[in-house]
Amino acid sequence: MTAYANPKYRKELGLVSSGQLVVRGGALNSGFYFVKRPGAITPDSLMSAYFTPEMMQKYDQELHTENYVTPDFPPVFVMTANHDFLHDEGVRFDQFLLDHHLAHRFASFGTESDPREHVFQLNQRDAVAAKANQQQGEFFRSLFVEK
């Protein structure tokens, strides 16, 4: 989403835009944000498999994605769950979007008596997952205004 909205960041990533793609919004489900935040990745964390020390060094500036977010960042639906190991990441990103006055919707699903885990929304037999997916669908439908 950031690369779409920021040509400078897109160029730094080596991406090319044809100018034909129009993004009205996006979904960020159980996401990992602020990768370079101190303590975000520890050697024993699950994320260390994706973000090795070599990659963290090689892409040091590019992994500070938050530094490239502009007012053109498309509206996003940020979803997490109360027992998602990345729950706090979603909360942190929600606050970032609020602080920068960027259009978004934040939702966290599950309760202590009926918890939900990472990517719970994939279970289509789960009523809470169905509710989450319905809310996400409503968010996307809201981006299409008839003219």
Side-chain angles (χ1 to χ4, degrees):
M1 302 304 289
T2 303
Y4 170 79
N6 184 335
K8 178 182 174 191
Y9 187 53
R10 188 168 48 247
K11 183 178 179 182
E12 287 189 26
L13 294 174
L15 302 173
V16 179
S17 172
S18 67
Q20 296 177 356
L21 178 67
V22 175
V23 174
R24 294 186 188 207
L28 303 171
N29 299 332
S30 297
F32 183 49
Y33 315 100
F34 310 104
V35 174
K36 297 292 285 191
R37 177 179 52 81
I41 301 172
T42 59
D44 61 337
S45 73
L46 198 55
M47 300 317 288
S48 66
Y50 295 99
F51 298 96
T52 64
E54 298 81 20
M55 296 306 285
M56 295 292 282
Q57 183 176 354
K58 181 176 181 181
Y59 297 105
D60 178 54
Q61 292 308 303
E62 294 88 341
L63 289 172
H64 284 282
T65 308
E66 66 276 8
N67 294 339
Y68 297 92
V69 173
T70 68
D72 295 328
F73 190 81
V76 291
F77 187 96
V78 180
M79 183 192 324
T80 189
N82 67 323
H83 283 200
D84 183 350
F85 75 98
L86 293 172
H87 173 270
D88 293 352
E89 295 290 326
V91 172
R92 189 175 285 113
F93 194 58
D94 172 46
Q95 189 61 56
F96 175 85
L97 295 170
L98 286 168
D99 291 346
H100 289 83
H101 309 286
L102 295 170
H104 74 289
R105 170 134 190 253
F106 175 75
S108 180
F109 294 89
T111 64
E112 284 309 309
S113 62
D114 192 17
R116 291 301 179 277
E117 308 289 334
H118 185 65
V119 297
F120 74 99
Q121 74 278 6
L122 298 178
N123 181 357
Q124 292 304 297
R125 295 181 183 168
D126 179 7
V128 175
K131 179 181 176 183
N133 289 319
Q134 180 182 19
Q135 286 184 20
Q136 197 168 70
E138 289 169 5
F139 169 79
F140 282 114
R141 282 187 289 280
S142 76
L143 300 177
F144 292 89
V145 179
E146 289 190 36
K147 295 181 181 185

